Amino acid sequence: MSADQTSFTHPSFGRMAADRVIIFDTTLRDGEQSPGFSMNLAEKLRMAEALATLGVDVIEAGFPVASKGDFESVNEIARNTKGAVICALARSGGARDIAAAGEALAPAERKRIHNFISTSPLHMKYKLRMEPETVLELITSGNRAARNLTDDVEWSAEDGSRTEPDFLCRCVEAAIKAGATTINIPDTVGYATPEDMEKIFSMLRERVPGAHEVIFSAHNHNDLGLGVANTLASIRGGARQVECTINGIGERAGNAALEEIVMALRTRNDQYPFTTGINTTGLLKVSRMLATITSFDVQPNKAIVGRNAFAHESGIHQDGVLKNAATYEIMTPESVGWTRSALVMGKHSGRAAFRDKLRALGYDNMDDERLNDAFARFKDLADRKKVVYDDDIVALVDDEARDHDHIRFVSLSLRSVSGQPSEVELDLSVDGKPAHASATGNGPVDAAFNALRAAFAHDARLALFSVAAVTEGTDAQARTTVRLEEAGKLVDGQGADADTVVSAVRAYVHALNKLLVKRARTEPEALSV
């Protein structure tokens, strides 16, 4: 796209204004590679639907050749998710990769194959063990193969920010000639600065033949905390697609966060006069959904969606906000989905009030079974707790929404006397069948986890155990996080309950369910040339 164009043509979206930035979300692919994160098929479908409702333009659903489960996930998302382009990842040099991507995407209304290969000297020498000319050949053959399956083809130069400029230009030119319609230059290891990224995109648009006919894309990792800054700089340099994730999840330090990019463009439109199709009032809802599914809480001071993002404790700040919110708030809480409602629920609150409260908190798509389960737990909590706050309801609803397809917690009884081993009786449901175990341990939690290992045999190691209070007070619910490690694979589980031991067991059960999903994951075969 040349600098003087007022619009550009996209193979899936048609004619688009030159100030329109395409939002490419890779939460389900790159984001899921975060240590401890994993999603099953049902959770991926929920996230894909939420992303499409949010207004995401392109959803990268997965890497079909990696495993049977990945293929099935992409295929089901392609079949069921409407409104967004569904994208699948493939390696440029992998004929099986591209064929699998095309097959998985077959049911999609609009589909994209995203193929990639490393282009930096470091990656070509040590990762690929290939000469530059071989890489160029694979770029050509890979994009031609993808273009035979769809008109919407993206090519990525892995480690593009550390690629020699002349060779990067040759690679981009080869990809365009072979049919790529989107060219992505990722900062794969988060090494670049904003100045680097703006310069790279400006250089490619000036030097590469055919550059004005394609859309350039930025994919920035956050290893130096520059992911969002690099993305904004990339847009200045001419990128009109940005690749990002909800909550900034991803490998190592994560990716550029979707919510931060979108709100930066909206809030500082004077500096970045660009638009997106994102319904910003849905950002908090999708952020919370992802946190629930992955069992990875958003840090309190996280921009946009952290619980402190619009909190003011300083007296000077509070006084200013009360007089005029703009004194200390550069955007309104409501613009990203926060609500100022603080209606307190109690034991006399009925189902209708509970449903209304859930809608106000962003839970407006719960099925009847989950609603009934959540309401039953709410009534039980209200009987034991003087005041039920919004955060209490969020904690218990999130806990009910988590996957318990294979293993479900049923009940627990505990006997603990100081100076003596604790004793636990535990009942689970495993694939619909009852499982009972008794165990002792050095304290209630140790005994409960020993009972879990007896009721459902496994060799996973407990790598993390953390307990936090949901709200204040001695009657507050506990939110427990458990991380399990098995054969190098990490999974995190969360649970909430007014009883800390029950909370811990719920978290462990959730982690076990995620581990069962992750056991089926495999790495794709190495490329052979």
Side-chain angles (χ1 to χ4, degrees):
M1 186 180 69
S2 62
D4 58 350
Q5 279 181 270
T6 58
S7 63
F8 61 92
T9 301
H10 187 284
S12 289
F13 299 109
R15 206 71 181 163
M16 304 184 76
D19 65 352
R20 175 68 153 82
V21 173
I22 295 167
I23 299 297
F24 177 113
D25 182 274
T26 185
T27 300
L28 299 176
R29 202 277 302 168
D30 195 331
E32 204 206 6
Q33 294 173 204
S34 305
F37 289 26
S38 63
M39 304 181 211
N40 63 21
L41 176 57
E43 290 166 341
K44 285 189 173 184
L45 285 169
R46 283 175 57 209
M47 275 305 302
E49 181 182 353
L51 291 169
T53 301
L54 185 66
V56 165
D57 299 298
V58 184
I59 298 172
E60 189 167 46
F63 192 2
V65 81
S67 70
K68 182 179 178 181
D70 279 58
F71 180 95
E72 182 184 8
S73 296
V74 175
N75 189 245
E76 287 299 309
I77 290 170
R79 190 183 314 279
N80 293 287
T81 305
K82 310 301 180 186
V85 173
I86 307 303
C87 176
L89 188 68
R91 292 167 295 185
S92 299
R96 284 185 60 244
D97 290 43
I98 292 169
E103 185 180 352
L105 291 170
E109 289 179 340
R110 294 178 294 170
K111 57 192 174 187
R112 173 183 298 186
I113 294 177
H114 177 195
N115 70 110
F116 73 97
I117 193 167
S118 295
T119 57
S120 69
L122 192 65
H123 276 220
M124 287 190 293
K125 181 177 180 179
Y126 293 104
K127 177 184 175 183
L128 297 180
R129 300 182 188 278
M130 293 179 187
E131 294 299 319
E133 294 304 318
T134 303
V135 170
L136 284 166
E137 291 171 6
L138 293 178
I139 291 170
T140 297
S141 62
N143 282 283
R144 283 178 178 167
R147 190 60 187 262
N148 286 334
L149 299 174
T150 177
D151 290 337
D152 191 343
V153 174
E154 178 173 340
W155 176 74
S156 283
E158 185 177 8
D159 207 22
S161 62
R162 295 194 296 177
T163 298
E164 294 174 340
D166 288 348
F167 185 64
L168 184 60
C169 287
R170 292 180 66 195
C171 291
V172 171
E173 182 178 1
I176 293 172
K177 286 182 177 178
T181 53
T182 298
I183 301 295
N184 181 46
I185 309 299
D187 183 29
T188 303
V189 294
Y191 178 76
T193 65
E195 293 77 14
D196 293 333
M197 296 311 301
E198 183 173 358
K199 185 184 297 184
I200 287 171
F201 284 103
S202 296
M203 179 267 296
L204 292 172
R205 290 170 61 229
E206 291 171 2
R207 292 181 53 183
V208 176
H212 65 284
E213 298 174 358
V214 300
I215 293 163
F216 281 94
S217 175
H219 179 128
N220 293 294
H221 279 262
N222 204 40
D223 297 71
L224 293 176
L226 295 172
V228 172
N230 284 346
T231 299
L232 296 175
S234 300
I235 295 172
R236 281 189 187 275
R240 290 297 177 268
Q241 175 180 286
V242 296
E243 306 193 2
C244 44
T245 61
I246 299 295
N247 296 343
I249 68 170
E251 289 190 278
R252 305 182 313 279
N255 290 271
L258 181 151
E259 60 277 4
E260 295 177 22
I261 296 167
V262 168
M263 293 310 294
L265 293 176
R266 173 173 165 164
T267 305
R268 292 308 311 270
N269 201 245
D270 58 324
Q271 293 292 318
Y272 305 99
F274 303 97
T275 64
T276 73
I278 298 296
N279 172 19
T280 63
T281 60
L283 289 171
L284 179 63
K285 176 182 176 181
V286 179
S287 167
R288 283 178 167 173
M289 178 185 292
L290 180 65
T292 297
I293 288 172
T294 60
S295 301
F296 197 86
D297 288 335
V298 174
Q299 66 194 61
N301 63 331
K302 167 76 170 64
I304 315 300
V305 293
R307 68 172 182 265
N308 289 350
F310 296 93
H312 304 278
E313 184 171 331
S314 163
I316 296 173
H317 286 204
Q318 289 175 345
D319 179 64
V321 169
L322 289 172
K323 291 174 179 175
N324 186 325
T327 54
Y328 288 100
E329 291 183 352
I330 60 173
M331 66 195 93
T332 67
E334 292 82 3
S335 69
V336 297
W338 289 97
T339 174
R340 298 185 187 273
S341 169
L343 179 64
V344 176
M345 303 285 286
K347 63 181 180 181
H348 299 298
S349 300
R351 189 182 305 270
F354 183 68
R355 187 189 291 271
D356 286 343
K357 170 61 76 172
L358 292 184
R359 289 198 186 104
L361 294 172
Y363 299 93
D364 47 9
N365 292 316
M366 289 186 68
D367 59 43
D368 289 340
E369 181 180 358
R370 290 193 186 279
L371 176 67
N372 291 337
D373 289 344
F375 182 68
R377 285 190 63 187
F378 160 71
K379 295 296 282 187
D380 177 62
L381 180 64
D383 283 338
R384 293 186 285 162
K385 200 171 186 294
K386 294 178 181 178
V387 178
V388 180
Y389 297 98
D390 285 358
D391 285 346
D392 289 312
I393 295 174
V394 168
L396 68 86
V397 171
D398 284 350
D399 196 55
E400 284 298 326
R402 293 189 175 101
D403 169 51
H404 302 291
D405 283 350
H406 300 288
I407 310 168
R408 293 185 65 89
F409 167 74
V410 177
S411 66
L412 175 148
S413 63
L414 166 69
R415 181 178 181 275
S416 185
V417 178
S418 60
Q420 297 181 24
S422 297
E423 301 173 2
V424 163
E425 299 277 338
L426 177 67
D427 286 290
L428 303 175
S429 172
V430 180
D431 292 325
K433 298 178 181 179
H436 176 83
S438 303
T440 60
N442 184 24
V445 173
D446 185 48
F449 287 0
N450 289 338
L452 265 167
R453 284 186 282 271
F456 184 82
H458 61 280
D459 296 321
R461 179 181 68 88
L462 181 65
L464 172 71
F465 175 73
S466 174
V467 182
V470 174
T471 57
E472 69 273 11
T474 56
D475 61 352
Q477 284 191 98
R479 180 192 282 115
T480 303
T481 300
V482 163
R483 173 171 288 184
L484 300 180
E485 186 273 332
E486 181 185 74
K489 296 179 179 179
L490 297 171
V491 291
D492 287 358
Q494 275 196 342
D497 198 89
D499 186 319
T500 303
V501 180
V502 172
S503 169
V505 171
R506 289 184 180 276
Y508 200 116
V509 166
H510 183 219
L512 278 177
N513 278 297
K514 293 174 72 175
L515 184 61
L516 295 181
V517 173
K518 207 156 192 178
R519 279 176 178 174
R521 300 274 169 83
T522 57
E523 292 294 328
E525 296 176 0
L527 288 176
S528 57
V529 181

